[in-house]
Amino acid sequence: MVEKYDYLIVGAGFAGAVLAERLAEESGKTCLVVDRRSHIAGNAYDKVDQAGILIHAYGPHYFRTNSTRVVDYLSRFTQWHQVTYQVLVWTDGKYWQFPINLNTFEQYLGRPSTTEEMEATLAKWREDFPNPKNSEEMVLSQVGRKFYEMFFKNYTKKQWKRDPSQLDASVCGRIPVRTNRDNRFVTDTFQALPQEGYTAMFEKILRHPRITVRLNTDYRQLPPQVKYERMIYTGMIDEFYNFSEGRLPYRSMRFEAETLPQEFFQPAMQVNYPNDHEYTRVVEIKHATGQKSPVTTIVREYPEDFGPGKEAYYPVPAPDSKELYEKYAAKAKMEKNVTFVGRLATYRYYNMDQVVAMALSEFDKLKASKATN
Ligand code: FAD
Ligand code: UDP
């Protein structure tokens, strides 16, 4: 028996779920959402572990945004738990305030200081790169070599298996540098986690009479009786084209969870380890979710090469990968019935809010074209 849908949506992460909801609710389209993983929510998936602790299965997902459109949209599906995200770095045998600010500078000096002194010192330490071309130049131009080597150089090598000089300036440029005492990880106007977690929010986004979700399903293995008019694709763009132009680089990760019989393990939700251990960071998400429990679960993140059986967690922002991506993007542009959306399909190191904004604007484009008539 033929199964007919208006849209096949590949991927039940933010990009796929938001587009499915918009197409179903606002345009009356029927959508089949498939994901080859065993769950919805893509990399934002969270779950309660055996000890009863809500953990983020694929690394910490700190929702933050300056977009009221994105907040208004997601607020239809969740209430929010306000959080101030705080991160520390462990190096040289102690915890350091991170991102670098006046408190970090005082820790370095071992005495009280002022914004003026920090600015004057950084002015001496900074190296002159008016238009930083890569992540090394970016950090050197902001804080100079001492802090580059303490905080950035080895973390970046561990995470990307590339020297910071081989990565776009935007990679380390994600981390702010401040000369005040603002200890927040990011300064976006909205910082909060979905009250009941991401997976619960995705369940609501996808709960619609015109949306069918099929898990453990690679779209390439769908039976021929499944018919659809258009496709939304949110997977790896090079895989879509069977790697015809060559393989795009990605970084993968191994997440190792450990439950401990104590209320908290570390002083903040995230501690980064630039210079010690094989892992980059330890996340204790309980600090952020506010969950009360006498036990805790921490997750250590070990960067890994991408390959068979591994998930592609990060596109690698660099000139060589951009050049290759452009070849795929040119092919994608020629597609009449496929829309490429999200972090892997557009090969962009995007946060969740940016992916939601991208999905909403793709919906606007589909609506403006005859694709949703
Ligand atoms: P994904 O969530 O990757 O969803 C794509 C889905 O498509 C996947 O579930 C995949 O299984 C499925 N798929 C692919 N190919 C196929 C196929 N052939 N058939 C069927 N299904 C397929 N963002 C933040 O805003 N804040 C953070 O703190 C943050 N931390 C992060 C930490 C880590 C370790 C990582 C990896 C990412 C983090 N992000 C964070 C980014 C965030 O995860 C992404 O922006 C967001 O999840 C991207 O959504 P997406 O729908 O584009 O992709
Ligand atoms: N980074 C670093 N040291 C740190 C934190 C970050 O060198 O303590 C660099 C590193 O290259 C990292 C990038 O900044 O990949 C972006 O950091 P972010 O915490 O935003 O990474 P994500 O959460 O996306 O993995």
Side-chain angles (χ1 to χ4, degrees):
M1 201 184 82
V2 174
E3 250 186 86
K4 278 182 79 175
Y5 298 93
D6 296 314
Y7 278 80
L8 170 65
I9 299 187
V10 179
F14 270 103
V18 169
L19 270 156
E21 189 279 334
R22 291 289 69 213
L23 287 162
E25 175 62 17
E26 199 164 316
S27 303
K29 298 291 174 188
T30 52
C31 300
L32 173 63
V33 179
V34 298
D35 203 301
R36 60 185 171 196
R37 299 194 207 182
S38 60
H39 57 73
I40 57 171
N43 284 335
Y45 176 64
D46 54 14
K47 61 173 182 191
V48 175
D49 70 5
Q50 286 188 334
I53 307 295
L54 180 75
I55 59 166
H56 291 183
Y58 305 107
H61 277 69
Y62 310 131
F63 189 82
R64 76 281 192 136
T65 190
N66 291 312
S67 163
T68 46
R69 185 183 191 200
V70 168
V71 175
D72 289 348
Y73 174 73
L74 292 178
S75 299
R76 295 185 211 167
F77 310 102
T78 188
Q79 295 193 308
W80 298 97
H81 169 69
Q82 304 293 327
V83 198
T84 303
Y85 303 123
Q86 268 188 282
V87 172
L88 297 172
V89 162
W90 174 270
T91 188
D92 299 338
K94 63 179 175 194
Y95 291 111
W96 297 76
Q97 171 53 46
F98 195 78
I100 294 168
N101 69 6
L102 179 55
N103 294 326
T104 323
F105 185 63
E106 287 187 341
Q107 285 185 284
Y108 179 77
L109 294 178
R111 61 167 172 80
S113 180
T114 59
T115 293
E116 293 69 34
E117 185 186 10
M118 183 172 179
E119 277 168 2
T121 308
L122 288 185
K124 277 189 235 144
W125 287 357
R126 278 186 195 123
E127 296 188 17
D128 193 22
F129 296 106
N131 298 303
K133 287 189 299 295
N134 56 56
S135 273
E136 179 182 44
E137 292 184 3
M138 182 73 188
V139 179
L140 292 176
S141 73
Q142 288 177 308
V143 292
R145 198 161 290 273
K146 280 181 216 298
F147 282 170
Y148 169 67
E149 286 180 354
M150 265 175 87
F151 296 113
F152 290 93
K153 188 176 162 187
N154 295 329
Y155 185 108
T156 301
K157 282 185 169 174
K158 228 192 302 191
Q159 165 76 10
W160 302 97
K161 217 183 184 180
R162 280 186 181 216
D163 194 82
S165 61
Q166 306 300 311
L167 287 163
D168 286 356
S170 60
V171 174
C172 286
R174 283 165 63 88
I175 307 295
V177 173
R178 308 187 184 111
T179 54
N180 59 19
R181 294 191 194 277
D182 186 346
N183 284 344
R184 290 175 299 166
F185 186 48
V186 288
T187 51
D188 301 49
T189 49
F190 186 85
Q191 303 186 31
L193 294 172
Q195 182 97 54
E196 308 298 329
Y198 288 98
T199 307
M201 179 176 79
F202 272 79
E203 277 163 8
K204 290 210 175 124
I205 296 175
L206 289 166
R207 192 181 302 146
H208 193 285
R210 283 186 285 275
I211 299 176
T212 305
V213 178
R214 211 165 284 172
L215 300 174
N216 302 303
T217 303
D218 191 308
Y219 80 100
R220 293 166 298 188
Q221 267 119 47
L222 281 170
Q225 63 265 30
V226 174
K227 309 277 183 212
Y228 49 89
E229 302 286 319
R230 293 184 59 92
M231 186 196 286
I232 306 283
Y233 182 78
T234 77
M236 292 152 59
I237 190 165
D238 54 346
E239 191 178 34
F240 183 87
Y241 289 109
N242 285 319
F243 312 103
S244 61
E245 309 299 312
R247 282 180 185 265
L248 280 165
Y250 299 92
R251 285 301 278 162
S252 194
M253 193 76 90
R254 190 173 84 247
F255 301 98
E256 279 190 12
E258 185 183 4
T259 297
L260 299 159
Q262 60 202 74
E263 196 181 0
F264 285 106
F265 167 76
Q266 60 189 27
M269 70 177 186
Q270 181 177 314
V271 177
N272 294 350
Y273 290 86
N275 305 313
D276 299 86
H277 308 297
E278 279 173 35
Y279 44 85
T280 46
R281 56 191 181 190
V282 178
V283 173
E284 190 173 27
I285 205 71
K286 204 179 157 209
H287 282 279
T289 58
Q291 187 178 359
K292 302 271 180 280
S293 171
V295 300
T296 191
T297 300
I298 58 169
V299 182
R300 296 189 176 86
E301 292 185 19
Y302 295 84
E304 288 191 334
D305 293 342
F306 173 62
K310 300 272 168 62
E311 286 289 341
Y313 291 116
Y314 292 86
V316 180
D320 53 308
S321 55
K322 184 166 195 296
E323 199 184 316
L324 180 52
Y325 166 68
E326 291 303 341
K327 292 189 188 165
Y328 285 112
K331 288 185 147 204
K333 230 174 142 185
M334 308 298 287
E335 301 285 349
K336 294 221 163 32
N337 294 317
V338 187
T339 303
F340 294 80
V341 198
R343 179 151 144 145
L344 298 174
T346 66
Y347 202 72
R348 274 176 228 179
Y349 187 6
Y350 263 10
N351 289 326
M352 294 176 282
D353 63 319
Q354 294 170 299
V355 171
V356 174
M358 189 196 270
L360 292 174
S361 81
E362 281 303 328
F363 174 69
D364 292 342
K365 282 189 219 157
L366 288 170
K367 215 165 61 165
S369 74
K370 52 185 188 335
T372 63
N373 290 341

